[in-house]
Amino acid sequence: MQIAVALYPGFTALDAIGPYETLSPLPGAETVFVAEQAGPVRNDRGNLALVAEKSFAEVPRPDIVIVPGAPPVAVEPHLGGGPLLDWLRTADVATTWTTSVCTGSLLLGAAGLLKGRRATSHWLSLDHLATFGVTPTGDRVVFDHKYVTAAGVSSGIDMGLTLAGMIAGDRHAQAVQLLIEYDPQPPYDAGSPDKAPADLVEHFRTQGLPSSSPAR
């Protein structure tokens, strides 16, 4: 089973690493980071890089695709087409699961893979999904056929665990959760627009997603 994590300049690190940590332990899994060209790819802050071991051309038929999100400045250049969308369309023909985290669903939408389907994204980008014929939903993890989309950033961990359970069983997913000690006990109850202070929510609704994520 080959799991391909797509990288592109400006991606959000946890969007890629959350699913990587939860899905790479699947029995028989080979996890590979891919990009337009092999080599280091920097995140949205520019101070961290993950290494794409292979180019898109070298990984044409992965079993699972993971598309991390990014701030608008990094996502928008790809929405009109290009190597990333071309690879997503090609890879999707053979995938068992095609997944995304955060605004990665906009890339799947732009590739035409989510048309007529339900999907989620970062709460500030949900409305943008409709542009691609997608029905937005605020759920944290959404399954529609073989397409699995996760909401903002940290939800990629939930998506990975949920998918791992479907593939390898609950016991396996529980073991992964235990070993990464994923037991959220946040110091603040502000992780969704329904719970965060209203003025903070309004600030980001007005300003939009920041150029790097999460906001400082």
Side-chain angles (χ1 to χ4, degrees), residues 105 109 114-120 126 129-136:
S105 59
L114 298 180
K115 188 173 183 179
R117 301 192 180 280
R118 297 171 64 253
T120 190
L126 273 176
L129 280 172
T131 304
F132 307 110
V134 182
T135 301

Side-chain angles (χ1 to χ4, degrees), residues 23-54:
L23 289 172
S24 59
L26 282 169
E30 173 208 4
T31 307
V32 58
F33 289 94
V34 298
E36 183 177 355
Q37 296 180 341
V41 183
R42 291 198 171 274
N43 73 331
D44 54 9
R45 296 181 182 275
N47 59 0
L48 181 150
L50 295 181
V51 177
E53 303 159 83
K54 297 183 179 181

